[in-house]
């Protein structure tokens, strides 16, 4: 059987997340045929739909090599959205360094290679950081992400970092209190155009606590700057920013499988559906 669009999910959510259901309904409303497929299901024929959209592949960071191989396979049989190049690039948060090199203001970040050791106390003293956040460079849903106070650097933070870098690369950032006070702001863009925004809970795990946000002109301009720096158009993106005294800072750019909270913005699911079918 052939389809117009495949929405890709993972085995814990074979029928997709709430966002995906809204998108599927919007696609079906146009008369197009849509299906859900689990990314690592060997029975799926990825060539059965000309457009394949990565949506809720929320286990990929546990199966990095397998997921990367699947992306290569799927890209040879269908048109991935977002594009194969952008997806592979966005998997590893080292993309932040690329965006910074292109003029985007990002949260200060030190990347740590596998097996590398870092004197965290010296790092904090050198950079004037009071608290740290340590996490893998490939992660999602706060996997492997921990916050450490200055008194925890020598033992707890060092042990966590060593545990991560035994098998993975990691990253270290200062803890920014604004994620709890002003809160992190997520700007959703569809087809390069701003759609809607919301405030995230700290560390972005509980999306039920998210509320709509009216971004400032500065935040909107910053979001567009981030997308321009990607180097090619993206069908959907979530630009996660945190306010600072110097202006907005990029926390993350999500173009693989972000929760877009389409339910917060009536019409957004239909706009995305129309983009995918155009």
């Amino acid at each position: 059987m052939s389809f117009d669009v495949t929405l890709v999910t993972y085995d814990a959510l074979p029928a997709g997340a709430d966002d995906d259901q809204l998108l599927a309904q919007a696609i079906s409303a146009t008369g197009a045929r849509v299906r859900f497929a689990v990314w690592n299901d060997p029975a799926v024929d990825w060539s059965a739909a000309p457009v394949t959209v990565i949506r809720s592949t929320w286990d990929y960071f546990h199966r990095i090599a397998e997921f990367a191989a699947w992306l290569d396979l799927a890209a040879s049989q269908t048109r991935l959205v977002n594009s194969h190049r952008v997806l592979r690039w966005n998997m590893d948060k080292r993309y932040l360094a690329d965006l910074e090199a292109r003029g985007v203001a990002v949260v200060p970040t030190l990347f740590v290679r596998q097996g590398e050791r870092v004197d965290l106390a010296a790092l904090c003293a050198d950079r004037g950081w009071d608290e740290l956040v340590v996490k893998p460079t490939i992660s999602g849903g706060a996997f492997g992400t921990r916050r450490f106070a200055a008194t925890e650097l020598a033992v707890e933070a060092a042990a966590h970092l060593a545990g991560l870098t035994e098998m993975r690369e990691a990253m270290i950032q200062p803890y920014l209190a604004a994620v709890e006070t002003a809160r992190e702001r997520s700007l959703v863009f569809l087809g390069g155009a701003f759609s809607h925004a919301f405030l995230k809970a700290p560390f972005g795990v509980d999306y039920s606590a998210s509320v709509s946000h009216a971004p400032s002109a500065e935040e909107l301009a910053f979001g567009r700057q981030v997308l321009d720096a990607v180097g090619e158009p993206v069908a959907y993106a979530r630009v996660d920013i945190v306010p600072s005294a110097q202006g907005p800072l990029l926390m993350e750019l999500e173009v693989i499988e972000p929760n877009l909270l389409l339910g917060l913005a009536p019409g957004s699911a239909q706009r995305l559906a129309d983009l995918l079918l155009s």
Side-chain angles (χ1 to χ4, degrees):
M1 183 176 179
S2 63
F3 299 87
D4 297 294
V5 179
T6 298
L7 301 180
V8 187
T9 183
Y10 78 125
D11 55 12
L13 284 173
D18 292 346
D19 252 11
D20 310 333
Q21 289 289 337
L22 289 173
L23 179 57
Q25 291 165 16
I27 294 171
S28 295
T30 70
R33 294 159 298 174
V34 61
R35 66 170 175 173
F36 286 98
V38 173
W39 70 268
N40 60 334
D41 182 350
V44 175
D45 176 9
W46 298 104
S47 67
V51 177
T52 296
V53 188
I54 314 301
R55 287 310 306 130
S56 301
T57 55
W58 292 342
D59 63 344
Y60 82 88
F61 46 87
H62 295 300
R63 312 169 75 165
I64 299 166
E66 185 181 353
F67 185 73
W70 171 77
L71 285 177
D72 295 344
L73 170 67
S76 71
Q77 299 181 18
T78 182
R79 178 168 67 88
L80 289 178
V81 180
N82 286 303
S83 76
H84 177 261
R85 185 197 74 82
V86 166
L87 292 168
R88 290 295 300 266
W89 171 74
N90 194 236
M91 279 177 62
D92 191 317
K93 291 180 177 57
R94 285 183 179 271
Y95 71 77
L96 290 170
D98 295 335
L99 293 177
E100 186 175 36
R102 297 168 194 168
V104 174
V106 307
V107 174
T109 306
L110 175 70
F111 293 100
V112 184
R113 295 184 299 274
Q114 186 175 340
E116 183 180 0
R117 294 291 178 264
V118 176
D119 184 332
L120 296 176
L123 172 68
C124 286
D126 181 60
R127 301 200 178 191
W129 297 351
D130 297 321
E131 297 183 74
L132 293 180
V133 174
V134 180
K135 56 188 172 183
T137 59
I138 302 180
S139 67
F143 166 71
T145 300
R146 289 187 60 186
R147 169 188 173 188
F148 297 99
T151 56
E152 300 172 311
L153 299 181
V155 180
E156 292 94 334
H160 181 62
L161 180 61
L164 290 179
T165 55
E166 184 176 352
M167 300 294 295
R168 299 168 172 260
E169 296 191 346
M171 55 195 288
I172 304 169
Q173 296 175 318
Y175 175 73
L176 303 179
V179 301
E180 291 188 271
T181 54
R183 295 179 67 174
E184 191 175 344
R185 291 98 193 271
S186 293
L187 279 59
V188 176
F189 290 83
L190 303 177
F194 173 72
S195 174
H196 58 283
F198 54 90
L199 301 180
K200 291 173 62 179
F203 291 104
V205 176
D206 183 9
Y207 282 90
S208 67
S210 298
V211 295
S212 294
H213 169 65
S216 67
E218 181 183 34
E219 289 172 341
L220 284 175
F222 183 80
R224 295 188 177 101
Q225 179 195 8
V226 172
L227 292 190
D228 288 344
V230 173
E232 70 177 80
V234 291
Y236 58 87
R238 198 184 76 209
V239 182
D240 293 341
I241 64 178
V242 61
S244 77
Q246 294 75 42
L249 298 175
L250 180 65
M251 184 73 76
E252 289 193 31
L253 168 65
E254 296 272 8
V255 295
I256 300 179
E257 32 63 83
N259 193 331
L260 301 172
L261 292 192
L262 298 174
L264 286 179
S268 59
Q270 192 61 58
R271 290 196 299 275
L272 181 53
D274 292 342
L275 280 167
L276 298 173
L277 294 167
S278 63

